Amino acid sequence: MINIGVIGYGYWGPNIVRNFNRVEGAKAPLVCDINQDNLKRAKKDYPYIEITSDYNDVISSTKIDTVAVITPVSTHFELAKKALKNGKHIFIEKPFTATVAEAEQLIELAEKKKLMIMVDHTFLFTGAVRKMKEIIDKELLGSIYYYDSMRINLGLFQPDVNVIWDLATHDFSIMDYLIDEKPVALTANGKSHVSGMEDVAYVVIYFSNNMIAHFNVNWLSPVKVRTTFIGGTKKMIVWNDIDADEKIKIYDKGIEVKNREGLYQLLVSYRAGDMWVPRIEQVEALQLEAQSFVSCIMNNKAPINDGHAGLRVVKLLEACDDSLRNKGAMVNL
Amino acid sequence: MINIGVIGYGYWGPNIVRNFNRVEGAKAPLVCDINQDNLKRAKKDYPYIEITSDYNDVISSTKIDTVAVITPVSTHFELAKKALKNGKHIFIEKPFTATVAEAEQLIELAEKKKLMIMVDHTFLFTGAVRKMKEIIDKELLGSIYYYDSMRINLGLFQPDVNVIWDLATHDFSIMDYLIDEKPVALTANGKSHVSGMEDVAYVVIYFSNNMIAHFNVNWLSPVKVRTTFIGGTKKMIVWNDIDADEKIKIYDKGIEVKNREGLYQLLVSYRAGDMWVPRIEQVEALQLEAQSFVSCIMNNKAPINDGHAGLRVVKLLEACDDSLRNKGAMVNL
Amino acid sequence: MINIGVIGYGYWGPNIVRNFNRVEGAKAPLVCDINQDNLKRAKKDYPYIEITSDYNDVISSTKIDTVAVITPVSTHFELAKKALKNGKHIFIEKPFTATVAEAEQLIELAEKKKLMIMVDHTFLFTGAVRKMKEIIDKELLGSIYYYDSMRINLGLFQPDVNVIWDLATHDFSIMDYLIDEKPVALTANGKSHVSGMEDVAYVVIYFSNNMIAHFNVNWLSPVKVRTTFIGGTKKMIVWNDIDADEKIKIYDKGIEVKNREGLYQLLVSYRAGDMWVPRIEQVEALQLEAQSFVSCIMNNKAPINDGHAGLRVVKLLEACDDSLRNKGAMVNL
Amino acid sequence: MINIGVIGYGYWGPNIVRNFNRVEGAKAPLVCDINQDNLKRAKKDYPYIEITSDYNDVISSTKIDTVAVITPVSTHFELAKKALKNGKHIFIEKPFTATVAEAEQLIELAEKKKLMIMVDHTFLFTGAVRKMKEIIDKELLGSIYYYDSMRINLGLFQPDVNVIWDLATHDFSIMDYLIDEKPVALTANGKSHVSGMEDVAYVVIYFSNNMIAHFNVNWLSPVKVRTTFIGGTKKMIVWNDIDADEKIKIYDKGIEVKNREGLYQLLVSYRAGDMWVPRIEQVEALQLEAQSFVSCIMNNKAPINDGHAGLRVVKLLEACDDSLRNKGAMVNL
């Protein structure tokens, strides 16, 4: 039985408790929050649960073997480090840490102590992302031209991170999972209008091959858009996460480049074909993620969203900050 | 009566002839193309029309007072210069010219000869753009946070221009018309996958005030997307040009920044309100544009899409090329 | 404090327990189901809850003042009658009863015993229906031409009712709430393909005035459609319940009938105008309904969805069965 | 060379002239209309065309071998009869005639004179309908449960026909083409709000097998809806004619009926699968139809939309009128 102590019962924490409680072989008997209202809510949701406002009670509890860190990113490193030192596995909210150095230290510590880190890149466990992974792994797209994501809405302004750290983190983790090719350089541009942190930003990432990636994130949009376009030589995917029934569309459409003789205009032509909407499994991603975490601990197997995956994302985020500070200058990775 | 000689009867030329013929006080009696099939088609469409494969026949015709240059951009300057020298008004396909220097020369020449230049920024005459202009001029949006445009589809690869010159030209001309604030710097990133010219590109433009603009153009997308988001302090517009019935949506939704005392999290909150879809006039934009051109000539009045508007767009396009050549470096305008 | 005993913990029962528990001044301490798995689930959800497989334990419990009947419609009458006889208020799943006679008996009994009946017409408490009620009560639509509803999907086949009793019940209760005018006759047509009960059906209802209503219900549709069109002389509503952000659209569009002189063709013309999407309050309808029920009991006030409302719906359902049995013949109401 | 004289140059006539002119081996040299403005417009569109306001000039012209009757339905019979008597083939606007008797007379006359009749059921030549025909003929749907169509918009009120004759004609002709099974009975309900003719109507058609068809037509809807659902045992089609890119969707989704032992509820279960959007050929339907007509005349071959097809549609329309006059009573076909 895996016993999980959850630090942070604000917006996301209740989902963590609920989902780990549903996993065969796991439970979440202990919740910590500095806000008394949150603790009261936890007690109302689960009358038998133990609550505390001191995170040390969680980290040092002998009844607990795993700590879920569901707090603002600025606190991740200290909490995780202490928990690892006390021999606890770590399930940690995204983004993993506030800096690359912190992420590297936590990974090292976990490896030394033979403990597990899972970074909560929930999207990797959605039916849509798993279906895209399957399609890409089967090489149905051919070689990939571009990865283009838009994630905009009226966002919750956060005191300690900008819109890239808040929203693009999702997309960086998804792209990292789907695309084998490695990023080599990026540029980030953005603007702050409200709080001093960028609330609108645009990131372009170059890869060692011909692929280009682009991310449009925005906290000031009245409409919610969640789309990713992945275009390849053979087929193209459009993922619209807002669409309940047609999340993934696969287009057998593209261009055809003919033998380069004769007039240029004749060489590139359209190829029109069918479109296909694969059935997506209807599962709660966080439920699958919780199961995966418990199973990885049981079987001592690294999860797909381990500390290294978390680190790769933080590297991109840190590079974005560098580029933003330098007027969108290209930052090598 | 305005008599228009049309050079170029490929994809767009027939629309020019048809629309000018419908304008009271104008006709297009003479068409030139180097392609005999195009000329045959012109003759079939308009049995009474005069055709030629030598553009000098148009430029020097005494029956013609206006020349429509509907040819690839690399030929614009020479054709327009000669036509202006021969005393003809110019209606010229977008983008105006291949360089800023060419545009400036044509403007100067036209002003010296007291001739009219209209650059075919057709979108300025659509019901949607005119409605947005009206809304913005009434200051319904408040001060503008961002202008974000996406224009992607399977594009006709062109031998002489990249996707920015082909597609972003539309958006630059629309933004130039809608937004009074002046751009001060831009960065452009992109990638060529097929022809040596960028077929996917992303442009960010900074303004003297807090506004930021962003353009996503792509010739390799299986789906056609034509959206522009304009977010302001008071209201926000979403323009979806693909939507037949709800092209313009105005959201009375946004964020509210409260007095900056107490905890930060309390300061920024959502404001939810109604959404409104104004009726858009159903007119053929090119028809209005043709009427406007004829009326401007008659009344000796500069059109909204005169040579200066064309030049402002070419300045942005040229700066994009600069930035692309320098790894997305910021280019001051 | 209102204490609710819930009979039936299958698909809908858990929502009833959860929502009544959240109402200030109410709780649901006792759950009954004949299925042991359902009872085990109740115990897991609420460890402190009392469970039983004998409904008499609920009906006769002195700790209980209200009984929620969340069982198949064929059992409603017996359960509700016994509960009323034992002095319990009734919250009862839709449709109210299997026959008009049963409904009338329950109403009479409740009135004699001064007890409350609320029929679970949940939709009346949605933001969308409440907004439409507000619009119609303000007479913004003018006089109403038609009410046209489509509610189709791959439906759960039910052993004891056809698709009209399952799906049109919702629409009948909504129309009954929104429209003051009274129905005078109806016809129903349909077909059974799978189970012997109609799985596809179409109902037309005539009113004392010029209004006509139409209902399209279908258990065999691969796509889920939930739309209602309400057209009036002045404005028209489209309610799309599937759309997350634009559930209610109000069109200021229609026809204009001019003075009937001269040629007919000139008399009827279009009127095009803006469209408006009012903000809909984001509340859980069942939560509001539970609050309303508790408040009605406290204040001894008849709810909008009382037994009489339930009866009016059952009258329409029964008439549909009559018409179906008679080849779609018109049935007077 | 087929020479077509066109009677009627109002809304649809110009499309007829334009499309027949484009067919190899056909031309439309003569146009008739009683409205001088329409004739002037014809002359402006085609300066070389001959015009007349007397239909006898068309019917008796020796230069003409085919007459296109593009006039209100009440005039079809007289015009077509006279043209057939003068030895002309007939291309005739839908609906074919105002009564079954008229249609039968015209068919008989044409057969006696060995002349061709084509009824302008344009939709049969759209890419969407042809694709559905292909899918149904391949028996991909299994046996068909239902055919459900909705065709609503702010309609042009017509002086001589109701909304069924105007709009459902399209759907009757499409269903007649797609579905081999024959209709055996129908009911029609509707209401007139504006002009004395029904402007809202609902038709249900029963077939010799288990299939049921339903048609919702409405001239008072602020939004334009053009959808048809065709559900079968194996697959289901949704045709949305408004959608530019995804007109036809084929769902591999449905229900599964298991062996009828044990509890009923277990017997019917969902089957979820992929969805598929086949590529639709982008052709102008009327162009294909005109080609088909010319080719049928050349090769003396009956078109799919011959007089018999027109008659089958008129039979349904006449039965709808019968049912409407009898309070929606079932009319046997």
Side-chain angles (χ1 to χ4, degrees), chain A residues 281-302:
Chain A
E281 234 178 297
Q282 302 282 0
V283 286
E284 188 174 358
L286 191 49
Q287 180 57 22
L288 275 193
E289 191 180 29
Q291 282 168 12
S292 161
F293 187 43
V294 171
S295 152
C296 284
I297 292 175
M298 302 288 209
N299 302 297
N300 196 28
K301 224 193 89 191

Short mmCIF file of all heavy atoms in Angstrom, two decimals, chain A residues 281-302:
data_model
loop_
_atom_site.label_atom_id
_atom_site.label_comp_id
_atom_site.label_asym_id
_atom_site.label_seq_id
_atom_site.Cartn_x
_atom_site.Cartn_y
_atom_site.Cartn_z
N GLU A 281 -10.08 7.24 -26.12
CA GLU A 281 -10.57 6.62 -24.90
C GLU A 281 -10.98 7.68 -23.88
O GLU A 281 -10.29 8.67 -23.71
CB GLU A 281 -9.46 5.76 -24.29
CG GLU A 281 -9.88 4.32 -24.04
CD GLU A 281 -8.68 3.57 -23.50
OE1 GLU A 281 -7.67 3.45 -24.22
OE2 GLU A 281 -8.76 3.12 -22.34
N GLN A 282 -12.13 7.47 -23.26
CA GLN A 282 -12.65 8.44 -22.29
C GLN A 282 -12.18 8.04 -20.89
O GLN A 282 -12.88 7.29 -20.22
CB GLN A 282 -14.18 8.45 -22.34
CG GLN A 282 -14.76 8.78 -23.69
CD GLN A 282 -14.72 10.26 -24.01
OE1 GLN A 282 -14.24 11.05 -23.19
NE2 GLN A 282 -15.19 10.65 -25.15
N VAL A 283 -11.03 8.52 -20.50
CA VAL A 283 -10.56 8.22 -19.15
C VAL A 283 -10.14 9.51 -18.49
O VAL A 283 -9.79 10.47 -19.16
CB VAL A 283 -9.35 7.27 -19.18
CG1 VAL A 283 -9.78 5.86 -19.53
CG2 VAL A 283 -8.29 7.78 -20.15
N GLU A 284 -10.20 9.54 -17.18
CA GLU A 284 -9.68 10.72 -16.50
C GLU A 284 -8.16 10.57 -16.47
O GLU A 284 -7.61 9.62 -15.92
CB GLU A 284 -10.26 10.83 -15.08
CG GLU A 284 -9.87 12.17 -14.44
CD GLU A 284 -10.52 12.43 -13.10
OE1 GLU A 284 -11.32 11.61 -12.63
OE2 GLU A 284 -10.20 13.48 -12.49
N ALA A 285 -7.50 11.56 -17.09
CA ALA A 285 -6.05 11.46 -17.24
C ALA A 285 -5.35 11.33 -15.89
O ALA A 285 -4.42 10.54 -15.72
CB ALA A 285 -5.53 12.68 -17.99
N LEU A 286 -5.80 12.10 -14.93
CA LEU A 286 -5.14 12.12 -13.63
C LEU A 286 -5.27 10.75 -12.94
O LEU A 286 -4.38 10.34 -12.19
CB LEU A 286 -5.77 13.22 -12.76
CG LEU A 286 -5.05 13.59 -11.46
CD1 LEU A 286 -3.57 13.81 -11.66
CD2 LEU A 286 -5.69 14.84 -10.86
N GLN A 287 -6.36 10.06 -13.23
CA GLN A 287 -6.55 8.72 -12.68
C GLN A 287 -5.49 7.77 -13.25
O GLN A 287 -4.82 7.03 -12.52
CB GLN A 287 -7.98 8.25 -13.01
CG GLN A 287 -8.33 6.88 -12.52
CD GLN A 287 -8.17 6.74 -11.02
OE1 GLN A 287 -8.18 7.72 -10.30
NE2 GLN A 287 -7.97 5.52 -10.56
N LEU A 288 -5.32 7.83 -14.57
CA LEU A 288 -4.28 7.00 -15.20
C LEU A 288 -2.90 7.36 -14.70
O LEU A 288 -2.05 6.49 -14.49
CB LEU A 288 -4.29 7.21 -16.72
CG LEU A 288 -5.26 6.41 -17.56
CD1 LEU A 288 -4.86 6.54 -19.03
CD2 LEU A 288 -5.24 4.94 -17.16
N GLU A 289 -2.66 8.65 -14.52
CA GLU A 289 -1.36 9.11 -14.07
C GLU A 289 -1.09 8.57 -12.65
O GLU A 289 0.02 8.10 -12.35
CB GLU A 289 -1.30 10.63 -14.08
CG GLU A 289 0.11 11.18 -13.89
CD GLU A 289 0.13 12.70 -13.89
OE1 GLU A 289 -0.88 13.34 -13.49
OE2 GLU A 289 1.16 13.28 -14.29
N ALA A 290 -2.08 8.65 -11.80
CA ALA A 290 -1.94 8.16 -10.43
C ALA A 290 -1.66 6.66 -10.43
O ALA A 290 -0.76 6.17 -9.73
CB ALA A 290 -3.20 8.49 -9.62
N GLN A 291 -2.40 5.94 -11.27
CA GLN A 291 -2.16 4.49 -11.39
C GLN A 291 -0.73 4.22 -11.86
O GLN A 291 -0.04 3.34 -11.37
CB GLN A 291 -3.11 3.87 -12.41
CG GLN A 291 -4.51 3.63 -11.90
CD GLN A 291 -5.47 3.28 -13.01
OE1 GLN A 291 -5.06 3.01 -14.13
NE2 GLN A 291 -6.76 3.29 -12.70
N SER A 292 -0.31 5.01 -12.86
CA SER A 292 1.03 4.82 -13.41
C SER A 292 2.08 5.05 -12.33
O SER A 292 3.05 4.31 -12.21
CB SER A 292 1.24 5.79 -14.58
OG SER A 292 2.61 5.95 -14.85
N PHE A 293 1.87 6.09 -11.52
CA PHE A 293 2.84 6.41 -10.48
C PHE A 293 2.94 5.25 -9.48
O PHE A 293 4.04 4.78 -9.14
CB PHE A 293 2.44 7.69 -9.77
CG PHE A 293 3.46 8.20 -8.79
CD1 PHE A 293 4.82 8.20 -9.10
CD2 PHE A 293 3.07 8.68 -7.54
CE1 PHE A 293 5.77 8.68 -8.18
CE2 PHE A 293 4.01 9.16 -6.63
CZ PHE A 293 5.35 9.16 -6.95
N VAL A 294 1.79 4.78 -9.04
CA VAL A 294 1.79 3.69 -8.06
C VAL A 294 2.44 2.45 -8.67
O VAL A 294 3.29 1.79 -8.04
CB VAL A 294 0.33 3.40 -7.60
CG1 VAL A 294 0.27 2.13 -6.76
CG2 VAL A 294 -0.20 4.61 -6.81
N SER A 295 2.11 2.17 -9.91
CA SER A 295 2.68 1.00 -10.57
C SER A 295 4.19 1.15 -10.75
O SER A 295 4.95 0.19 -10.60
CB SER A 295 1.96 0.78 -11.90
OG SER A 295 2.78 0.15 -12.82
N CYS A 296 4.65 2.35 -11.09
CA CYS A 296 6.10 2.56 -11.25
C CYS A 296 6.83 2.34 -9.93
O CYS A 296 7.93 1.78 -9.89
CB CYS A 296 6.38 3.97 -11.78
SG CYS A 296 6.02 4.15 -13.54
N ILE A 297 6.23 2.82 -8.84
CA ILE A 297 6.85 2.62 -7.53
C ILE A 297 6.91 1.12 -7.20
O ILE A 297 7.95 0.60 -6.81
CB ILE A 297 6.07 3.37 -6.43
CG1 ILE A 297 6.23 4.88 -6.63
CG2 ILE A 297 6.56 2.97 -5.04
CD1 ILE A 297 5.40 5.74 -5.68
N MET A 298 5.78 0.45 -7.39
CA MET A 298 5.70 -0.98 -7.11
C MET A 298 6.76 -1.76 -7.88
O MET A 298 7.40 -2.66 -7.37
CB MET A 298 4.33 -1.53 -7.53
CG MET A 298 3.14 -0.86 -6.86
SD MET A 298 2.99 -1.30 -5.10
CE MET A 298 1.20 -1.14 -4.90
N ASN A 299 6.89 -1.40 -9.16
CA ASN A 299 7.76 -2.17 -10.05
C ASN A 299 9.13 -1.53 -10.26
O ASN A 299 9.90 -1.97 -11.10
CB ASN A 299 7.09 -2.33 -11.42
CG ASN A 299 5.74 -3.01 -11.29
OD1 ASN A 299 5.67 -4.16 -10.87
ND2 ASN A 299 4.68 -2.27 -11.58
N ASN A 300 9.39 -0.46 -9.52
CA ASN A 300 10.66 0.24 -9.63
C ASN A 300 11.03 0.53 -11.08
O ASN A 300 12.10 0.19 -11.56
CB ASN A 300 11.75 -0.59 -8.95
CG ASN A 300 12.99 0.26 -8.71
OD1 ASN A 300 12.88 1.48 -8.54
ND2 ASN A 300 14.15 -0.38 -8.72
N LYS A 301 10.11 1.20 -11.75
CA LYS A 301 10.28 1.51 -13.17
C LYS A 301 10.12 3.01 -13.36
O LYS A 301 9.19 3.61 -12.78
CB LYS A 301 9.18 0.79 -13.96
CG LYS A 301 9.61 0.08 -15.22
CD LYS A 301 8.39 -0.31 -16.07
CE LYS A 301 7.96 0.77 -17.04
NZ LYS A 301 6.67 0.52 -17.68
N ALA A 302 10.99 3.64 -14.14
CA ALA A 302 10.88 5.10 -14.33
C ALA A 302 9.62 5.45 -15.11
O ALA A 302 9.34 4.83 -16.14
CB ALA A 302 12.11 5.62 -15.07
#
